């Protein structure tokens, strides 16, 4: 059996929700966790995943999927490169 690709979702708005659905439906991926600004109110569908404020807080991330506003992509991409 092939190892699943561990994907982090960075940003959990409209696009992030669709990314979560897609990862759950894909047999090749598993959710490594979700990065959100506000972790004080975790949506029910995220309760079984690690929800953090920075991607560096997640373990064994193979790929990060950015679903943040366009003006923030560069900042979050740099954070991912520093891992």
């Amino acid at each position: 059996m092939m190892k699943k690709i561990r994907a982090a979702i960075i940003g959990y708005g409209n696009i992030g929700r669709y990314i979560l659905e897609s990862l759950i439906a894909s047999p090749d991926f598993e959710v490594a966790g979700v990065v959100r600004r506000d972790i004080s109110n975790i949506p029910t569908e995220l309760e079984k995943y690690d929800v953090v404020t920075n991607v560096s807080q997640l373990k064994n991330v193979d790929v990060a999927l950015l679903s943040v506003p366009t003006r923030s992509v560069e900042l979050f991409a740099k954070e991912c490169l520093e891992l």
Side-chain angles (χ1 to χ4, degrees), residues 3-75:
K3 178 185 171 244
K4 289 189 175 193
I5 298 166
R6 290 184 44 83
I9 302 169
I10 301 180
Y12 194 71
N14 292 328
I15 301 299
R17 286 176 178 82
Y18 289 117
I19 290 173
L20 178 64
E21 290 175 11
S22 297
L23 291 174
I24 291 169
S26 174
D28 298 329
F29 286 89
E30 68 181 346
V31 178
V34 178
V35 178
R36 300 184 76 208
R37 287 180 296 205
D38 180 12
I39 60 170
S40 64
N41 185 17
I42 307 292
T44 306
E45 68 271 17
L46 296 181
E47 288 178 350
K48 67 181 189 175
Y49 305 108
D50 291 331
V51 180
V52 298
T53 57
N54 189 292
V55 69
S56 65
Q57 297 168 298
L58 297 173
K59 292 181 175 48
N60 303 318
V61 174
D62 297 316
V63 64
L65 303 167
L66 302 178
S67 59
V68 297
T70 303
R71 65 187 175 282
S72 303
V73 168
E74 183 177 3
L75 170 70

